[in-house]
Amino acid sequence: MSIHSTAAQLVTLAEGEGHGGNHQSLSPFLTGGAALVILLLLLWVTTRFNRDR
């Protein structure tokens, strides 16, 4: 197996066989908003445990 054929197979696998990787029900704004809320919650919890600083 050559490097070229391996790279071509990996590209085909990464593309998802023509689907493009996007799903109709996933909203980028909802996903980003949820990630932001989770990160802010983790930041708040972390700062609560570090009251001695």
Side-chain angles (χ1 to χ4, degrees):
M1 204 173 214
S2 69
I3 293 176
H4 180 68
S5 64
T6 303
Q9 288 177 352
L10 287 175
V11 167
T12 304
L13 181 65
E15 288 177 349
E17 299 176 2
H19 296 294
N22 294 331
H23 196 272
Q24 292 293 340
S25 67
L26 290 178
S27 169
F29 293 112
L30 181 65
T31 305
L36 178 65
V37 168
I38 290 170
L39 288 172
L40 287 174
L41 180 66
L42 286 173
L43 179 65
W44 180 78
V45 168
T46 302
T47 55
R48 296 304 107 197
F49 281 114
N50 287 328
R51 286 193 178 261
D52 56 339
R53 290 187 171 195

